[in-house]
Amino acid sequence: MYLTVNRPGDGYYANQFRPIIADGSGKSTGRLYESKWDAQLKHPVFSDVSKKAGISIEGYGHAATIVDINKDGWKDIYVTNDFISPNILYINNGDGIFTNRSKEYFKHTSMNSMGQDIEDLNNDGLADVFELDMSPPDNYRKKMMSMPESYQSYELFNHYAYQYQYARNTLQINQGPGLGQNDSIKNPVFSETGFLSGVTETDWSWTPLITDFNNDGYRDIIVTNGFPKDVTDHDFIVYRNNPYSTASKKLLLTRFLQSRSIIMLFKIMAT
């Protein structure tokens, strides 16, 4: 069993570039548990084998899928991470150890990666990868939500050896194994076709499910999305950074106490 971990760090901003902790000591590092039958207890017992298996790269994990992505007979693990922490593709070496090969398989990924699903979307027998981000489809919402791009950001991707990431959904179509010198078989080649396939922009999205909903022989995609409050709206961010310019401290304190009373009421009712 692979367990994603999303634990904010102490003392640093999640979207700040810095060296990736890849020795297993990072607080937000996923875990791999091995199941073994316990004859005395008469049920399986799970033990943490993360470090032994090479599961050691930190990231703000949102989802993980276990699938044989390169068709070598061994199950691999794909992990989508939020913020700028790169996604991880743990390829199973067949000896109990996994190696991250995301940059070898994918030219780029989503940035604020949320949920994902891995299925054969075009009926060619190969595993395709669909992962979500938060890009809205209309121009107005884009301007109200999107952060500015900069050349320095991409230089930092290179400096810290991060994988290139873009704030939109990505659809990685598996083109099959690549060919090397002397007709040697290489890693699968993936083409990112999100824009061409019309699935790039679904706003604040959480997780996809790929299945054939209408029984026509082709797999479809459903995306769950939505958020109670538009906390990334630029107008709201300006207000939050300087709330006293639009309301008095007394009014803000009153609103805070009202919301706190409602929260406490929910807690009492739940109890």
Side-chain angles (χ1 to χ4, degrees), residues 112-184:
N112 310 290
S113 300
M114 311 298 278
Q116 49 148 306
D117 201 1
I118 300 180
E119 291 284 352
D120 177 12
L121 272 166
N122 52 3
N123 291 344
D124 63 355
L126 302 173
D128 308 307
V129 182
F130 183 50
E131 63 185 82
L132 302 181
D133 205 296
M134 305 178 216
S135 179
D138 63 285
N139 184 61
Y140 178 81
R141 290 274 296 157
K142 281 187 175 72
K143 297 298 188 292
M144 295 305 294
M145 285 182 61
S146 301
M147 301 302 292
E149 299 285 349
S150 69
Y151 173 74
Q152 287 78 10
S153 294
Y154 290 95
E155 284 297 297
L156 288 170
F157 275 111
N158 293 326
H159 178 76
Y160 288 102
Y162 283 37
Q163 183 159 24
Y164 291 127
Q165 304 169 49
Y166 300 96
R168 55 180 172 81
N169 302 347
T170 51
L171 176 59
Q172 312 278 0
I173 297 297
N174 192 334
Q175 305 289 357
L179 292 177
Q181 292 183 346
N182 300 319
D183 294 331
S184 60

Side-chain angles (χ1 to χ4, degrees), residues 5 98 104 109 151 179 183 231 250:
V5 177
F98 293 80
E104 299 175 27
T109 67
Y151 173 74
L179 292 177
D183 294 331
V231 294
K250 181 179 179 181

Side-chain angles (χ1 to χ4, degrees), residues 82-101:
D82 198 359
F83 303 110
I84 60 172
S85 55
N87 295 351
I88 306 168
L89 177 59
Y90 284 120
I91 294 298
N92 193 329
N93 299 326
D95 57 359
I97 300 175
F98 293 80
T99 303
N100 178 30
R101 301 196 182 280

Side-chain angles (χ1 to χ4, degrees), residues 8 12 33 57 68 70 74 93 111 120 128 131 139 143 169 175 178-179 184 188 201 204 225-226 236 239 243 250 257:
Y12 63 85
Y33 292 88
I57 304 172
D68 182 6
N70 56 4
W74 298 93
N93 299 326
M111 179 172 286
D120 177 12
D128 308 307
E131 63 185 82
N139 184 61
K143 297 298 188 292
N169 302 347
Q175 305 289 357
L179 292 177
S184 60
E201 300 163 333
W204 197 310
N225 58 13
F236 172 76
Y239 162 76
K250 181 179 179 181
L257 291 174

Side-chain angles (χ1 to χ4, degrees), residues 10-63:
D10 301 324
Y12 63 85
Y13 178 48
N15 271 333
Q16 178 181 356
F17 284 96
R18 58 180 178 80
I20 299 171
I21 301 175
D23 61 359
S25 63
K27 293 181 179 179
S28 193
T29 304
R31 301 188 186 99
L32 181 65
Y33 292 88
E34 183 180 26
S35 174
K36 288 187 176 181
W37 182 261
D38 190 306
Q40 184 175 359
L41 297 175
K42 296 183 179 180
H43 64 68
V45 174
F46 289 85
S47 57
D48 188 347
V49 296
S50 304
K51 289 189 176 181
K52 182 175 69 173
I55 307 299
S56 58
I57 304 172
E58 67 172 343
Y60 296 100
H62 267 173

